[in-house]
Amino acid sequence: MTEMMKPEDIENVIGYKFRDPGLIRAALTHSSYGKEHPEEEDNERLEFVGDAVLDCAVGEELYRILKNQPEGVLTRTRALAVCERSLNTAGRSIGLGRAVRLGMGERQSGGSEKPSIIADAMEAVFGAVFLDGGYDCAKKVILEVLEETLELAVKGELFTDYKSEFQEKVQHKGAVTDIRYVVDSFQGPPHDRTFYVHIELDGETVGKGSGKSKKSAGQDAAKDALERLKEGKYVF
């Protein structure tokens, strides 16, 4: 059995000591654990805060690094750096999966290894640092944790963000104005759901996908749409 990490272990790894220990404790508490222990705050609200701070910090850094690059390049690069796959990779590098408190069912189903859970917890940790120490502290932690990710993204050597690539192709054509990612359904219990998504261009379905989170399902659908476009199965 993998040994659990404690909140103070995460503090040591990210180089930040919380004045309010309750914040890092909440950041490392998955909703499945919160449901079994109602007295404990889960990390969903902190994830909301962290998502906004992450976008701001990475956007500011890319503005500084990618001088004279147009908005489209900045947007695409940031999307790569802050997507679920990047956050999962960063979270794994600091052992975050071993620190997240999970409900019994989620724990038994391997929740500590699920990309969506690790990525969400990573955002929650960023949000917790922001609320505890302010923007400068949060930005410092974010840029250190995502240092390698940002370097690869700037060099164009990170994995493909299919949603950004698809949107760029559509906007380049200039004919389509409405892009929607629609969740068709989901299956499975809360701790192990699979989402099914399709993409609509002005009401026409052009791609379908699935994944363990809405984000990953959207990426899969965008990948499908790009492949279908390449094969000439639809035009716009």
Side-chain angles (χ1 to χ4, degrees), residues 58-84:
V58 171
E60 182 185 352
E61 182 68 4
L62 291 177
Y63 180 85
R64 184 184 67 81
I65 295 174
L66 297 176
K67 299 183 184 300
N68 302 318
Q69 290 293 340
E71 178 187 1
V73 172
L74 296 174
T75 300
R76 185 170 63 253
T77 306
R78 182 177 63 182
L80 284 171
V82 305
C83 73
E84 180 182 294

Side-chain angles (χ1 to χ4, degrees), residues 49-124:
V49 175
D51 178 67
V53 177
L54 176 63
D55 275 355
C56 184
V58 171
E60 182 185 352
E61 182 68 4
L62 291 177
Y63 180 85
R64 184 184 67 81
I65 295 174
L66 297 176
K67 299 183 184 300
N68 302 318
Q69 290 293 340
E71 178 187 1
V73 172
L74 296 174
T75 300
R76 185 170 63 253
T77 306
R78 182 177 63 182
L80 284 171
V82 305
C83 73
E84 180 182 294
R85 187 171 173 183
S86 290
L87 293 174
N88 171 56
T89 299
R92 285 178 181 275
S93 72
I94 64 173
L96 197 57
R98 294 188 284 123
V100 178
R101 296 189 295 171
L102 303 167
M104 183 177 297
E106 191 65 75
R107 187 167 61 249
Q108 291 176 343
S109 68
S112 62
E113 295 294 324
K114 291 181 179 178
S116 60
I117 289 179
I118 295 174
D120 289 348
M122 192 75 265
E123 285 186 328

Side-chain angles (χ1 to χ4, degrees), residues 80-81 86 89-90 93 141-159:
L80 284 171
S86 290
T89 299
S93 72
V141 170
I142 288 169
L143 296 185
E144 287 181 356
V145 171
L146 295 180
E147 181 179 8
E148 183 176 355
T149 297
L150 284 170
E151 288 180 0
L152 292 173
V154 168
K155 294 177 182 177
E157 298 175 0
L158 206 57
F159 48 81

Side-chain angles (χ1 to χ4, degrees), residues 36 61 70 91 93 98 102 111 123 125 146 161 215 230 233 236:
E36 294 178 4
E61 182 68 4
S93 72
R98 294 188 284 123
L102 303 167
E123 285 186 328
V125 169
L146 295 180
D161 178 0
K215 290 181 180 179
K230 186 176 180 180
K233 294 182 178 180
F236 55 83

Side-chain angles (χ1 to χ4, degrees), residues 45 77 114 200 204 207:
R45 285 164 54 84
T77 306
K114 291 181 179 178
E200 292 182 359
E204 178 185 356

